[in-house]
């Protein structure tokens, strides 16, 4: 399963960043595919990006909402909100584990044999909800200038994916932009370096602590159509699932956790008793698993 997931991650990254003519154009792709909502966190301003980031799009909608209402232009981003809402309702946070380019980057960094591997302090996991509510929704809407226009707070001040995928490549493509660099860029660069360095010693730290996209999708994990479920009478509470989980959770203790990215490593690599199953609408999608007599006795006990 893990080789398949890695292949899907690579393909998804190439599809959402498939404009390979950017070295010649030296600019951002503006073709017809740019109206497509990327399921994962993928910067609109990346020169190779063929899609737009839903988090950035929501901020753009909200930062101009007050101005639009004052000028009589009534817009609501039903396409953006509806797109990520449908994705979340159908598959929860599976996008984070299978489709997100920045998730793939963090996983590859964690494989580097450098430093002592550590887990994040658990309270830091709540920061991503702070980012979602304040930096994505409230700040762009409420903190406006004299013309009623706000700012894309998360994209402008925090997002390390934007710096890595868009900021640095655009500086390389258009050297004249370097003259405009200031405190804002160096602040973003610092956050990018923090998360890159952190990813070497901690599995997916940005996903765990800061990503508003993951926070949003995670809200659907308990109610999504496709999800992982526990077969309680097969679970021995051995803790094997926690040892392979990139998000640092023990599945049988927190079924439907908003932290789960449904990478399915617990189901395919850890659980020997068939206690974890992938379901769609309540129906199992997992292949029947043969259990030895010894394991059967353990589950019955």
């Amino acid at each position: 399963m893990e080789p398949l997931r890695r292949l899907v991650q690579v393909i998804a990254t190439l599809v959402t960043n498939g404009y390979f003519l950017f070295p010649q154009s030296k600019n951002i792709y503006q073709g017809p595919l740019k109206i497509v909502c990327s399921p994962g966190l993928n910067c609109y301003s990346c020169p190779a990006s063929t899609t737009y980031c839903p988090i950035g799009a929501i901020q753009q909608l909200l930062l101009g909402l007050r101005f639009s209402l004052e000028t009589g232009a009534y817009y609501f981003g039903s396409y953006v909100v509806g797109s990520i809402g449908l994705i979340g309702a159908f598959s929860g946070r599976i996008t984070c584990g299978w489709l997100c380019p920045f998730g793939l980057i963090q996983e590859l960094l964690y494989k580097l044999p450098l430093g002592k591997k550590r887990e994040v302090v658990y309270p830091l996991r709540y920061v991503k909800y702070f980012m979602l509510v304040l930096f994505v929704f409230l700040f762009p809407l409420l903190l406006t200038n004299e013309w009623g226009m706000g700012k894309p707070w998360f994209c402008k001040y925090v997002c390390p994916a934007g710096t890595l995928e868009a900021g640095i490549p655009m500086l390389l493509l258009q050297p004249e932009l370097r003259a405009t660099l200031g405190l804002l860029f160096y602040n973003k660069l610092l956050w990018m370096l923090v998360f890159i360095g952190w990813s070497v010693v901690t599995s997916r730290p940005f996903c765990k602590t800061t990503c508003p996209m993951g926070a949003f999708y995670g809200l659907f994990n308990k109610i999504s159509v496709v999800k992982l479920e526990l077969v309680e009478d097969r679970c021995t509470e051995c803790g094997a699932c926690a040892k392979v989980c990139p998000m640092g959770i023990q599945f049988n203790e927190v079924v439907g956790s908003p932290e789960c990215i449904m990478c399915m490593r617990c189901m395919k690599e850890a659980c020997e008793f068939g206690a974890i199953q992938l379901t769609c609408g309540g129906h199992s999608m997992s292949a029947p698993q043969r259990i030895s007599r010894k394991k059967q006795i353990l589950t019955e006990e």
Side-chain angles (χ1 to χ4, degrees), residues 99-222:
L99 302 177
C100 182
F102 200 63
L104 171 61
I105 291 171
Q106 291 175 86
E107 289 186 4
L108 295 177
L109 288 170
Y110 187 66
K111 286 183 174 294
L112 296 175
L114 300 172
K116 183 179 179 180
K117 306 302 182 182
R118 303 175 183 275
E119 187 53 82
V120 301
V121 179
Y122 197 86
L124 289 178
R125 293 176 183 257
Y126 295 104
V127 173
K128 58 181 173 288
Y129 299 103
F130 170 86
M131 289 292 175
L132 177 64
V133 174
L134 295 183
F135 275 64
V136 175
F137 285 102
L138 295 184
F139 285 174
L141 177 63
L142 301 179
L143 302 182
T144 59
N145 58 24
E146 61 269 29
W147 297 287
M149 297 292 291
K151 300 176 183 177
W153 281 75
F154 181 75
C155 294
K156 189 171 184 177
Y157 296 107
V158 180
C159 186
T163 307
L164 182 63
E165 297 174 12
I168 293 176
M170 289 305 297
L171 288 174
L172 295 174
L173 291 172
Q174 300 182 18
E176 63 273 13
L177 293 176
R178 298 172 192 174
T180 66
L181 297 183
L183 184 60
L184 179 62
F185 174 78
Y186 294 114
N187 167 73
K188 290 276 303 281
L189 184 63
L190 174 62
W191 281 115
M192 185 199 76
L193 293 175
V194 165
F195 281 109
I196 286 178
W198 199 0
S199 296
V200 174
V201 296
T202 299
S203 174
R204 284 178 167 256
F206 179 74
C207 304
K208 291 175 180 176
T209 66
T210 312
C211 182
M213 192 81 264
F216 179 84
Y217 283 144
L219 299 175
F220 294 89
N221 270 2
K222 284 184 178 292

Side-chain angles (χ1 to χ4, degrees), residues 24 34 43 45 52 57 64 72 85 87 90 97 103 107 114 116 169 173 175 186-187 189 250 259 261 285:
Q24 287 75 41
K34 208 67 172 185
C43 188
S45 297
Y52 68 83
I87 293 171
F90 180 73
E107 289 186 4
L114 300 172
K116 183 179 179 180
L173 291 172
Y186 294 114
N187 167 73
L189 184 63
Q250 185 165 332
E259 299 297 318
I261 58 174
M285 299 172 64

